[in-house]
Amino acid sequence: MKNIRNFCIIAHIDHGKSTLADRLLQVTGTISDRDMMDQVLDDMDLEREKGITIKSHAIQINYRQDGQEYVLNLIDTPGHVDFSYEVSRALAACEGALLLVDATQGIQAQTISNLYLAIDNNLEIIPVINKIDMDGAMIEEVEDQIVELIGCKREEILHASGRTGVGVEEILRAIVQRIPAPSGDPEAPLQALVFDSVFNSFRGIIVYYRILQGSIAKGDKIKFVSTSQEYEADEVGILKLKMTEKPQVTCGDVGYIITGIKNAKEVKVGDTITKVANPCTEGIRGFQEVKPMVFAGIFPVNTDDFEELRDCMDKLQLNDASLTFELETSKALGFGFRCGFLGMLHMEIIQERLEREFNQTVITTVPNVSFIAFTTKGERIVVNNPTEMPDPVRIERIEEPFIQAQIITKPDYIGNIMTLCLGKRGNLVNQSYLTPTRVELTFEMPLTEIVFDFYDKLKSQTRGYASFDYHPIGNRDSDIVKMDILLNGDKVDALSALIYRARSGDFGRKLCEKLKELVPRQQFQIAIQAAIGAKVVARETISAMRKDVTAKCYGGDISRKRKLLEKQKEGKKRMRQIGNVEVPQEAFLAVLKLDE
């Protein structure tokens, strides 16, 4: 056990974690040159296309130093704020972390928040400055920032380049020397933390775990503590580039187990595995529950595909524990799910994965956050979607979730960021200079305002030189109203939105204009209205498409033409009374892409 080291790599998005992981695998000979490719641990097509890590990936490295054989368990983590739950799970399985900082960009917001997560878990931090071979590298300046942030000595900071492989040997040496070996008793009852799982259509559910006490062998009868389900270990092993079977996995190691579980509900991330014969007294504590930030409905395009979609959602949740969902019905879209996501990127990724990995074409409704409504009778109602909103007459007050946003940028862009944040109902709490060329702005603002396009706008206002991170700070009173969209007087519940009252008129007008372009013309006039309660705040009209009923009349008396036109008029009247308006899928997506 004294020769095992468990560590992960944490950094802001795009600071070179995956590239450094590639070099560590290459230098130690874990992967042959023939199998080598960029982002070797990112096995999803989506990750390669977007150049980001979405899932944490575990791999075991064998490393020889000073005549000793060491086993290094590396977990590569995502850097985007929407996937911070993945990071927290990876940290729970490690004793140390490489804190990676890009020499050209310096410390950014997500670096700081990931660092605090690591410190909360009492991990040994090894600071590494990456990309030192780049032309714009500011090595001394970044060193100053790290010393100020962590309080370490300058000589403890390592310099490396993931692209060229400079400094990788020093990092490996530091991992062995600085990160403590796992503590735990190999003879104690088995206690293993489940930190991830995947679904394999041939083998069932494969569970990844880290053993804190005891050991696990093939053929053992095991039990999941929180669900009390018992299974037999058909296969256990360690995670190399591919899964490698072993007769036994011992204390301190990271490994996998296959028990033939088919039902996704029976495995929970954060659960404890123990043996049936000699169980541990209690489960492992301190695993944080996921808090979804953004809610949206996901519906199958054909209602017949609902059961298949439910199956796919269960399998996807195994692989992404931060996805939460429950059943929902909509008049316009039929049966579907109300899903909770950690952010807009997370929502986009889930939608893409459903389409690519499971061939499911889905409709996603307008994303919103969770509000709390207090009624005049003193009831407290959690409102996750607009249909749950009580009648305005019964509402005493509404609270909406607020966040504290940290933005790190150059002093030149302070004005632009202020304008953007104050326009989003933000409130400046603090402004401090980290160095003469880096300033940190802290705002308190409603989560609703950052859900849609805040991140994109921030990037364009600052030419990409701002980094952004946030965490929730509770609920506050707010003036929120429910806005319905009516087509010919019928509500389309999938287009309803909860919105700040002062914005509702503007939002309603834009939405009506957009729908006018997208809803196909019919043989009768269609009225598109945005309404708050009984008050209509915006209206657009799609004019009728006229069929030429007099085309067959060649000359002759005018009364014959008039008779046909009167008959058409009557038909149109009846059509409007019973005519259904088909809303195309683009209309639901258009709401997400409304430009401010």
Side-chain angles (χ1 to χ4, degrees):
M1 252 178 75
K2 69 180 197 306
N3 286 5
I4 296 177
R5 300 287 183 273
N6 296 315
F7 72 101
C8 60
I9 307 177
I10 53 174
H12 188 81
I13 190 167
D14 210 19
H15 279 208
K17 292 179 297 303
S18 299
T19 313
L20 182 67
D22 291 351
R23 288 298 84 73
L24 290 171
L25 298 180
Q26 209 172 10
V27 166
T28 53
T30 307
I31 182 167
S32 64
D33 288 342
R34 190 183 66 181
D35 294 332
M36 193 63 214
M37 57 182 168
D38 287 345
Q39 285 176 267
V40 70
L41 290 180
D42 294 349
D43 48 14
M44 260 186 257
D45 294 344
L46 260 177
E47 292 180 311
R48 295 181 178 286
E49 281 168 29
K50 290 182 182 283
I52 57 173
T53 303
I54 294 167
K55 286 285 303 163
S56 298
H57 295 273
I59 188 165
Q60 192 171 96
I61 299 171
N62 293 92
Y63 172 62
R64 194 174 180 81
Q65 183 185 312
D66 305 332
Q68 289 269 1
E69 283 287 344
Y70 290 94
V71 172
L72 312 180
N73 288 312
L74 155 67
I75 303 180
D76 178 27
T77 63
H80 194 280
V81 61
D82 279 11
F83 304 112
S84 52
Y85 185 63
E86 286 283 331
V87 181
S88 75
R89 284 163 35 195
L91 294 172
C94 296
E95 279 84 30
L98 297 181
L99 179 73
L100 212 59
V101 183
D102 186 332
T104 60
Q105 297 180 49
I107 283 179
Q108 293 190 290
Q110 195 58 29
T111 319
I112 296 174
S113 85
N114 282 344
L115 171 71
Y116 289 154
L117 275 175
I119 291 171
D120 287 347
N121 281 332
N122 298 324
L123 300 196
E124 178 65 38
I125 311 283
I126 301 177
V128 180
I129 297 179
N130 193 20
K131 305 191 186 180
I132 55 167
D133 58 321
M134 300 278 276
D135 295 341
M138 314 169 288
I139 296 170
E140 286 189 8
E141 197 177 312
V142 176
E143 273 185 352
D144 291 340
Q145 291 173 22
I146 293 175
V147 169
E148 199 165 315
L149 184 66
I150 309 179
C152 63
K153 299 189 179 79
R154 263 180 188 276
E155 51 273 19
E156 289 176 8
I157 301 171
L158 304 176
H159 296 182
S161 164
R163 196 162 56 98
T164 60
V166 174
V168 173
E169 279 291 346
E170 287 74 21
I171 292 175
L172 287 164
R173 194 166 282 278
I175 289 166
V176 168
Q177 287 166 0
R178 296 195 212 169
I179 294 176
S183 58
D185 180 0
E187 304 305 318
L190 172 68
Q191 201 181 30
L193 171 74
V194 176
F195 68 89
D196 206 353
S197 54
V198 293
F199 182 81
N200 181 308
S201 43
F202 303 109
R203 313 291 308 266
I205 291 163
I206 301 169
V207 178
Y208 298 158
Y209 55 83
R210 152 80 202 273
I211 299 185
L212 301 181
Q213 308 271 3
S215 62
I216 189 168
K218 185 174 178 174
D220 280 348
K221 287 277 283 183
I222 58 130
K223 175 176 142 185
F224 287 89
V225 173
S226 76
T227 57
S228 300
Q229 297 278 2
E230 297 180 6
Y231 305 97
E232 188 171 320
D234 297 341
E235 185 183 309
V236 296
I238 53 165
L239 299 157
K240 290 282 199 184
L241 195 59
K242 293 187 171 57
M243 293 186 295
T244 310
E245 191 176 349
K246 284 276 180 84
Q248 187 179 38
V249 181
T250 54
C251 184
D253 234 333
V254 173
Y256 73 92
I257 180 169
I258 298 174
T259 56
I261 307 172
K262 291 285 187 286
N263 185 357
K265 295 266 183 295
E266 291 171 23
V267 177
K268 281 197 176 84
V269 167
D271 200 352
T272 307
I273 302 176
T274 188
K275 287 185 189 172
V276 175
N278 182 13
C280 59
T281 48
E282 57 175 15
I284 300 159
R285 293 174 188 275
F287 206 85
Q288 64 181 41
E289 276 295 306
V290 58
K291 291 191 195 77
M293 291 287 187
V294 175
F295 294 87
I298 286 186
F299 294 86
V301 174
N302 296 330
T303 39
D304 305 348
D305 299 341
F306 171 71
E307 282 300 328
E308 199 181 327
L309 179 64
R310 182 205 292 250
D311 212 33
C312 299
M313 294 290 279
D314 279 342
K315 288 173 187 171
L316 193 54
Q317 192 179 32
L318 262 184
N319 196 235
D320 184 349
S322 51
L323 169 69
T324 57
F325 62 88
E326 56 190 45
L327 288 176
E328 183 185 41
T329 53
S330 151
K331 285 180 198 159
L333 301 170
F335 288 105
F337 297 98
R338 186 88 200 145
C339 303
F341 307 99
L342 297 182
M344 287 298 273
L345 178 70
H346 186 210
M347 178 176 133
E348 194 185 313
I349 296 292
I350 292 290
Q351 206 176 337
E352 285 266 337
R353 286 184 71 184
L354 278 171
E355 288 188 8
R356 289 182 186 212
E357 294 172 29
F358 302 102
N359 295 325
Q360 292 290 316
T361 323
V362 292
I363 295 174
T364 313
T365 62
V366 190
N368 61 344
V369 301
S370 194
F371 298 96
I372 294 170
F374 292 90
T375 62
T376 44
K377 289 183 180 173
E379 295 172 301
R380 180 179 184 274
I381 300 170
V382 178
V383 182
N384 281 340
N385 69 344
T387 48
E388 294 170 3
M389 187 77 144
D391 196 23
V393 189
R394 291 174 47 216
I395 297 173
E396 188 180 300
R397 63 193 172 91
I398 293 178
E399 289 185 355
E400 68 172 322
F402 268 66
I403 53 144
Q404 188 171 60
Q406 271 180 312
I407 298 171
I408 298 177
T409 184
K410 292 185 170 182
D412 319 1
Y413 303 116
I414 292 176
N416 292 3
I417 291 173
M418 291 276 197
T419 313
L420 175 65
C421 292
L422 296 176
K424 296 271 188 190
R425 298 192 281 142
N427 188 6
L428 182 65
V429 181
N430 190 13
Q431 175 179 338
S432 60
Y433 280 83
L434 302 172
T435 67
T437 56
R438 296 186 87 68
V439 61
E440 181 184 23
L441 302 166
T442 309
F443 286 91
E444 285 182 356
M445 55 204 301
L447 182 61
T448 333
E449 298 289 346
I450 66 155
V451 160
F452 283 110
D453 55 356
F454 179 79
Y455 200 63
D456 299 339
K457 286 205 165 152
L458 181 70
K459 286 289 181 201
S460 60
Q461 294 279 4
T462 58
R463 300 187 190 165
Y465 276 113
S467 64
F468 170 67
D469 180 46
Y470 64 87
H471 60 268
I473 52 171
N475 294 330
R476 297 186 186 173
D477 282 4
S478 190
D479 190 7
I480 298 290
V481 290
K482 177 187 174 188
M483 191 171 77
D484 292 310
I485 298 295
L486 311 172
L487 291 182
N488 269 354
D490 291 335
K491 282 184 190 174
V492 182
D493 57 354
L495 289 174
S496 297
L498 296 169
I499 192 159
Y500 187 58
R501 192 186 294 272
R503 298 269 167 86
S504 57
D506 199 30
F507 182 79
R509 200 164 47 254
K510 282 184 180 152
L511 190 47
C512 289
E513 285 167 9
K514 196 81 176 170
L515 287 172
K516 185 180 178 182
E517 294 168 22
L518 293 167
V519 174
R521 286 170 72 188
Q522 305 289 342
Q523 294 202 8
F524 53 90
Q525 190 177 331
I526 303 172
I528 302 172
Q529 294 165 309
I532 294 168
K535 183 186 172 192
V536 174
V537 292
R539 171 178 172 137
E540 290 287 338
T541 308
I542 300 177
S543 53
M545 182 170 59
R546 183 167 172 270
K547 185 179 176 187
D548 190 359
V549 286
T550 59
K552 59 188 176 190
C553 300
Y554 293 101
D557 189 9
I558 185 71
S559 59
R560 186 158 173 243
K561 289 186 180 178
R562 188 161 291 141
K563 188 178 159 192
L564 287 168
L565 290 167
E566 285 298 324
K567 195 175 169 190
Q568 182 185 39
K569 201 169 170 184
E570 280 301 311
K572 282 203 172 171
K573 208 171 184 179
R574 208 172 95 247
M575 211 183 227
R576 187 178 308 138
Q577 283 166 358
I578 59 170
N580 264 340
V581 184
E582 283 288 311
V583 184
Q585 189 180 341
E586 291 81 56
F588 297 108
L589 302 178
V591 185
L592 313 185
K593 298 185 171 68
L594 268 186
D595 290 321
E596 291 287 313

